[in-house]
Amino acid sequence: MPPLVEPAGELTVDEVRRYSRHLIIPDVAMDGQKRLKNSKVLCVGAGGLGSPALMYLAAAGVGTLGVIDFDTVDESNLQRQIIHGQSDIGRSKAESARDSVREINPYVEVRLHEERLDSSNVMEIFAQYDLIVDGTDNFATRYLVNDACVLLNKPYVWGSIYRFDGQASVFWSEYGPCYRCLYPEPPPPGMVPSCAEGGVLGVLCGSIGAVQVTEAIKLLTGIGEPLVGRLMIYDALEMSYRTVKVRKDPECAVCGKNPTVTELIDYEAFCGAVSEEAIEAAKDSTITPRTLKQWIDDGESIAIIDVREPAEYEIVSIPGSTLIPKNEFIMGEALAKLPQDKRIVLHCKSGVRSAECLAIVKAAGFSDAVHLGSGVVGWVNQIEPQKPIY
């Protein structure tokens, strides 16, 4: 595959000293390092995957690094988002990442895009860069990134992490499949938990982020065999790597022979964080933490059901709650455990899973059941602030 960018005119004496270990690799050498210097790479997200990606791209000598992130640093980020530190809590992630990149390599130009990536700005932002590194953690943005790159004919390096498992690939519709060829449709709402719900081993971010940067360097310099048409799957518990072939789908909605997606769409609606059944069930059946607290204080006949996982329940719980994980509702096992003589109050971490369970419960005949819209996070913030959140 040809190099993605042309080489820069020259390296300074200081740059030669800095990149000397690259320069003595025959496959990289002076030409490859000049190409890195002339490259413009955008990292979508400065979180778990964006952190190691930005740091290693900076260290490698990529001339221009873009960072798009509208979030601020939270203490729970520090377990895996190594580009940020304790003193950065509360700061803009983009600004924190910029300062770390400058400390690693002052020769790198950093461009900040402190805004939410969406259909209104993605084309303009992506057009400024040679390569996109996708470190997002939600399906709506993944499909947005993919479709924009296909429409702009740009390659991007994709990564995904969850608990102990990671995946990575390179999608470039000109030479192989795109993300939609691999995943034509997003999973049903609530089917795949996010890292915020399911967790992630912190060091896994480094493993997959490093693979993404390796692929980026190969694409920019034109060396090796990129992961175009291949999906790398990593299992940290077994310490195993394997790759599977991904073929270009001739019927793909965006890169196929007769594409039906010829412009950007509403990706939030396409992916749907919550099912229509859950939205309907939660209508007029959502309560606040203060309402729940009042019911408890008044001795109302209620059964507080926590639909999270056991590990989450161990971290923090609402007094008097009973743990029945969401999967038991999906399998139908939970219904037999629900009391018939009490009003059911469901809750999870933030209200998404409990809304899905509420739809199941109401369909089973518990018509007066409700759920806690802000979940245990809202309970802690408003009622028991001395307890931890995660």
Side-chain angles (χ1 to χ4, degrees):
M1 199 167 291
L4 196 56
V5 297
E6 294 298 317
E10 61 179 3
L11 299 180
T12 66
V13 173
D14 289 338
E15 288 172 330
V16 169
R17 281 197 292 260
R18 176 177 288 265
Y19 307 126
S20 61
R21 297 302 185 274
H22 274 177
L23 300 179
I24 59 177
I25 301 175
D27 289 344
V28 181
M30 189 69 76
D31 181 77
Q33 194 62 50
K34 288 179 179 179
R35 293 183 192 277
L36 291 177
K37 179 179 180 178
N38 206 31
S39 300
K40 297 179 178 66
V41 178
L42 174 69
C43 279
V44 183
L49 292 175
S51 288
L54 284 164
M55 295 169 76
Y56 269 116
L57 287 167
V62 170
T64 301
L65 279 178
V67 185
I68 180 160
D69 202 309
F70 65 95
D71 202 3
T72 56
V73 180
D74 181 80
E75 189 172 11
S76 66
N77 301 149
L78 303 183
Q79 162 258 8
R80 63 202 178 281
Q81 299 181 17
I82 57 172
I83 203 166
H84 313 297
Q86 185 71 22
S87 62
D88 296 313
I89 293 175
R91 291 185 67 202
S92 154
K93 282 188 179 180
E95 292 181 2
S96 171
R98 175 199 60 200
D99 293 348
S100 296
V101 166
R102 286 176 175 173
E103 185 66 21
I104 292 169
N105 191 343
Y107 303 119
V108 175
E109 177 190 347
V110 184
R111 299 177 182 174
L112 300 189
H113 306 275
E114 295 183 81
E115 55 192 303
R116 181 189 293 273
L117 190 69
D118 58 32
S119 298
S120 69
N121 59 18
V122 65
M123 301 295 276
E124 179 184 355
I125 293 174
F126 279 17
Q128 304 172 40
Y129 297 92
D130 303 304
L131 178 67
I132 313 299
V133 175
D134 181 13
T136 57
D137 62 355
N138 67 86
F139 289 102
T141 311
R142 288 174 184 170
Y143 282 97
L144 169 67
V145 169
N146 178 79
D147 293 0
C149 284
V150 172
L151 294 174
L152 290 168
N153 193 28
K154 287 185 181 291
Y156 75 100
V157 185
W158 171 79
S160 174
I161 50 175
Y162 179 69
R163 292 186 175 169
F164 298 97
D165 301 318
Q167 299 180 0
S169 188
V170 172
F171 296 114
W172 195 355
S173 57
E174 182 177 344
Y175 293 95
C178 76
Y179 181 76
R180 281 184 185 259
C181 295
L182 178 62
Y183 299 114
E185 299 286 341
M191 182 63 68
V192 180
S194 66
C195 290
E197 293 178 340
V200 61
L201 185 69
V203 71
L204 180 70
C205 302
S207 300
I208 300 302
V211 170
Q212 288 183 282
V213 175
T214 303
E215 291 303 301
I217 291 173
K218 288 158 60 178
L219 288 166
L220 295 168
T221 60
I223 62 176
E225 292 293 330
L227 280 173
V228 175
R230 293 182 293 152
L231 174 68
M232 188 215 73
I233 302 171
Y234 172 53
D235 184 329
L237 287 182
E238 293 185 359
M239 192 48 68
S240 65
Y241 290 87
R242 63 189 179 95
T243 58
V244 296
K245 288 186 177 180
V246 181
R247 302 190 184 281
K248 192 175 183 69
D249 181 4
E251 304 302 321
C252 177
V254 68
C255 77
K257 295 178 181 178
N258 300 293
T260 56
V261 178
T262 56
E263 60 184 17
L264 301 179
I265 62 175
D266 184 339
Y267 293 91
E268 294 292 340
F270 175 64
C271 294
V274 182
S275 69
E276 292 182 7
E277 293 81 5
I279 294 173
E280 184 62 30
K283 190 184 301 180
D284 301 323
S285 296
T286 300
I287 64 170
T288 66
R290 298 195 186 282
T291 298
L292 178 56
K293 178 66 163 59
Q294 190 65 53
W295 287 0
I296 294 172
D297 292 344
D298 292 345
E300 296 283 345
S301 181
I302 59 174
I304 306 171
I305 308 298
D306 189 330
V307 305
R308 299 175 299 155
E309 294 300 308
E312 296 176 271
Y313 190 80
E314 289 183 13
I315 298 172
V316 61
S317 62
I318 295 176
S321 62
T322 299
L323 178 67
I324 306 179
K326 175 189 171 184
N327 189 57
E328 293 190 29
F329 285 88
I330 295 174
M331 301 301 292
E333 302 167 1
L335 298 176
K337 300 179 181 181
L338 300 179
Q340 301 288 329
D341 58 343
K342 294 183 178 181
R343 188 174 194 178
I344 306 301
V345 179
L346 302 166
H347 82 82
C348 60
K349 179 182 178 180
S350 59
V352 176
R353 284 173 284 177
S354 59
E356 298 288 347
C357 292
L358 182 64
I360 297 172
V361 168
K362 281 183 171 291
F366 295 85
S367 58
D368 63 346
V370 296
H371 87 123
L372 186 60
S374 56
V376 73
V377 171
W379 175 271
V380 171
N381 286 335
Q382 297 181 35
I383 308 300
E384 295 188 277
Q386 72 278 11
K387 287 187 173 181
I389 55 175
Y390 60 101

